[in-house]
Amino acid sequence: MTTTPPQQDDESGESDLDSALVTARRQLERAAAHVDVDDGVVERLKHPTRVEQVSVPLERDDGSVDVFTGYRAQHDDVRGPYKGGLRYHPEVNADECTGLSMWMTWKCAVMDLPFGGGKGGISVNPKSLSNDEKERLTRRFAEELRYVIGPTRDVPAPDMGTDAQTMAWFMDAYSMQQGETIPGVVTGKPPVIGGSYGRQEAPGRSTAIAAREAIDYYDKHLEETTVAVQGFGSVGANAARLLEEWGANVVSVSDVNGAIYDPDGLDIGAIPTHEEEPEAVLEQDAPETLSNEEILELDVDVLIPAAIGNVITADNADDIAADIVVEGANGPTTFAADTILEERGVHVIPDILANAGGVTVSYFEWLQDINRRKWSLEEVNKELESKMLDAWKEVRTEVEEKELSWRDAAYVVALSRIAEAKATRGLWP
Ligand code: NAD
């Protein structure tokens, strides 16, 4: 499998790979058809509040200067500050940030978090930067965005190409300029400076919880369930480990190089994650190896695509043999594939619900920062479990009452909350 960027533009009409913006607008329209919502509200939600574009000059280690373009898209803040990641990737652009910020609006709303959606980043290849350059670039970016972000305005987080250290530099630069330590300006920081325990594992944990609930809903038992996980990275490895711990039989996992498969079950705890030891999956003992296409087509109960976007497409949707797909990655299923899976009776638990543990624990981190009170890991995991179950029940009600797919139901829950907030606040002036 070739590594595709997570969001491909489908406006060429040559493929069914979906761009984030196209997907976000399409989902809004689909959800609006099932919700009693004013057309004006839908119209407002099609547009971001603002997309900030900034130039970020960087003095390279050799003394030369390069200028990069940075963005922060702020989609909607009717329910609270904008929230979403900052990515460093060559493909970052205004449209992608806008689409992903809309996605964050739905994700925060479906989880009932008091946040709206934001997303940003710098169009840069992070691998081309030394550590010092990355620090200087991040500090300057924080300064350029200083007037549009803040703990009650817009709260960034790590994303592709950025990590806890990046957030630490960002928080430090912002705090130095503001004249006081303001940990709540970003989440995903190291715990020693206000980060939350359990933040890194949270998207994998929520994906596992979503899988567990779906397995139960469809009258299966975890102990008799087989699972395949594409992408043994942060999300995939944490989801796989938890599901194994809870009794499921994880028979196949993959990384960018390929998959290992044992129909009797793998020893998941023994496989280092992408973070611990990059690309170690194929080095493990297993009876069979598979390609990254083949793992998607395994006859398992639950398939968890947790690597990159657009991997289940119109080309392979007919070959997906799993009964349940739980989206650990963002946007792994294209719109065309989604329709095919729905017609075939494959239940897809959408990304905005399944991997929302990340932003949910970011919310817990923000609360801890504002209250200056640290939570234990047990507290974080207990609260995450409770938030996930609440969201699951809300979405399940829509699935049952309106006979919707899980994806449409999740968007209906999100849109209903946002629309009600907009209607209650009204349009000013
Ligand atoms: P990661 O870098 O930790 O792991 C990615 C894994 O996918 C690695 O095992 C890598 O080898 C594998 N991979 C990369 N390209 C691949 C390809 N072409 N085919 C198959 N495998 C490939 O990333 P992550 O943080 O686990 O994120 C994975 C997905 O989950 C992304 O879509 C991301 O946007 C989404 N997500 C991440 C978080 C988070 O906080 N980490 C939160 C929500 C959603």
Side-chain angles (χ1 to χ4, degrees), residues 187-201:
T187 58
K189 301 175 296 293
V192 69
I193 53 163
S196 180
Y197 297 121
R199 168 64 182 82
Q200 242 181 325
E201 302 78 32

Side-chain angles (χ1 to χ4, degrees), residues 4 15 26 37 52 62 68 147 153 174 177 180 200-201 209 250 279 288 299 333 344 386 394 396 400 421:
T4 46
S15 78
R26 196 186 271 149
V37 51
E52 192 78 2
D62 66 4
F68 296 92
Y147 301 97
R153 277 192 181 170
Y174 182 83
Q177 291 293 68
E180 57 181 311
Q200 242 181 325
E201 302 78 32
I209 293 171
V250 183
E279 286 140 34
E288 275 185 64
D299 188 5
T333 314
R344 292 187 49 228
S386 153
E394 294 281 343
R396 188 186 63 198
E400 290 172 352

Side-chain angles (χ1 to χ4, degrees), residues 373-384:
R373 185 179 81 76
K374 203 154 199 73
W375 301 6
S376 67
L377 179 60
E378 292 69 31
E379 224 172 334
V380 169
N381 287 342
K382 188 167 151 258
E383 290 291 329
L384 175 58

Side-chain angles (χ1 to χ4, degrees), residues 73-96:
Q74 299 178 329
H75 174 240
D76 186 79
D77 70 343
V78 72
R79 292 167 43 85
Y82 305 99
K83 186 87 194 77
L86 289 178
R87 55 175 57 175
Y88 291 176
H89 190 279
E91 312 272 335
V92 167
N93 59 53
D95 268 5
E96 187 196 57

Side-chain angles (χ1 to χ4, degrees), residues 1-3 107 199 203 230-236 254-256 274-275 279 292 306-308 328-330 355:
M1 171 179 275
T2 52
T3 306
K107 202 181 270 196
R199 168 64 182 82
Q230 187 196 48
F232 201 69
S234 178
V235 177
S254 76
D255 64 20
V256 67
H274 187 63
E275 279 155 19
E279 286 140 34
N292 260 306
I308 56 168
N330 284 323
N355 70 31

